[in-house]
Amino acid sequence: MTLTDAPAVRRIYSAASVRYLPRAPLTAENAASWVTDRIAESRATPRMLYCFGIEHTDDLVGVIKLRPARTSAALSYILRDDAWGHGYATAAAALVLDFASTTLDLASVDAKHHPDNHASGRVLIKSGFTCTGRSAEAITYIRNLAPRTRSAVHVRERLSDGATAARS
């Protein structure tokens, strides 16, 4: 991500999109700070967060994140409200799950959503996750990853200077 993505990030983290999250919508200043933090995290060693933009026709419509911890990771995603229902989160989840398996060599990925956010639950089920629990605060899931060859996936990251880097 680059600082030029801040307006799109603000649209993604709008009131409608954060309705089920414990956070407020982003202001312009918050969005710029959010992007700056993601850029810094992308340079950290070891890497504690992978944050990928979800693009449709060169328009940033969402964000998907993976937080690795030993042999597993936590997955989260958010789309701006006009991008809901088009399959973007499901497609992005498939790519990130491949990345988690092949590049990071993880054994499993966890995810959760608010009990009233049924659309997020559908994304997880379509992505091969299995429900592991329910509470008033969250429905939790796991997806066990099959070992794959590293050459099976290519992930492209946009660097802070606008260049791209391919990873196999």
Side-chain angles (χ1 to χ4, degrees), residues 47 50-54 64 66 91-105 148-159 163-168:
R47 188 124 175 219
Y50 291 86
C51 182
F52 302 100
I54 302 171
I64 187 164
L66 192 67
L95 291 170
V96 172
L97 289 167
D98 266 348
F99 175 76
S101 176
T102 60
T103 303
L104 301 181
D105 198 28
R148 298 185 185 172
T149 59
R150 293 180 69 85
S151 63
V153 68
H154 300 278
V155 175
R156 186 169 295 276
E157 285 187 279
R158 194 164 37 169
L159 304 176
T164 59
R167 290 206 246 180
S168 300

Side-chain angles (χ1 to χ4, degrees), residues 5-75:
D5 292 319
V9 167
R10 182 179 184 200
R11 288 182 58 208
I12 292 164
Y13 283 89
S14 68
S17 294
V18 301
R19 174 178 41 208
Y20 299 117
L21 299 177
R23 67 174 309 142
L26 293 182
T27 64
E29 184 178 307
N30 296 145
S33 179
W34 188 95
V35 171
T36 299
D37 290 347
R38 299 300 79 79
I39 292 168
E41 289 166 343
S42 74
R43 296 179 177 141
T45 304
R47 188 124 175 219
M48 303 305 294
L49 174 69
Y50 291 86
C51 182
F52 302 100
I54 302 171
E55 290 184 339
H56 174 67
T57 61
D58 293 325
D59 187 15
L60 188 64
V61 298
V63 173
I64 187 164
K65 298 182 236 176
L66 192 67
R67 292 185 185 278
R70 297 193 179 144
T71 63
S72 66
L75 178 77

Side-chain angles (χ1 to χ4, degrees), residues 62-165:
V63 173
I64 187 164
K65 298 182 236 176
L66 192 67
R67 292 185 185 278
R70 297 193 179 144
T71 63
S72 66
L75 178 77
S76 62
Y77 46 86
I78 186 169
L79 295 174
R80 66 179 199 225
D81 60 340
D82 66 341
W84 295 347
H86 297 283
Y88 305 141
T90 303
L95 291 170
V96 172
L97 289 167
D98 266 348
F99 175 76
S101 176
T102 60
T103 303
L104 301 181
D105 198 28
L106 298 176
S108 65
V109 174
D110 300 313
K112 65 181 178 179
H113 68 84
H114 189 279
D116 294 333
N117 189 348
H118 305 292
S120 193
R122 286 190 297 274
V123 167
L124 295 172
I125 294 298
K126 286 191 277 184
S127 299
F129 282 80
T130 302
C131 183
T132 58
R134 297 173 189 270
S135 71
E137 294 82 32
I139 300 175
T140 57
Y141 297 81
I142 191 167
R143 164 79 190 269
N144 292 315
L145 302 174
R148 298 185 185 172
T149 59
R150 293 180 69 85
S151 63
V153 68
H154 300 278
V155 175
R156 186 169 295 276
E157 285 187 279
R158 194 164 37 169
L159 304 176
S160 62
D161 63 1
T164 59

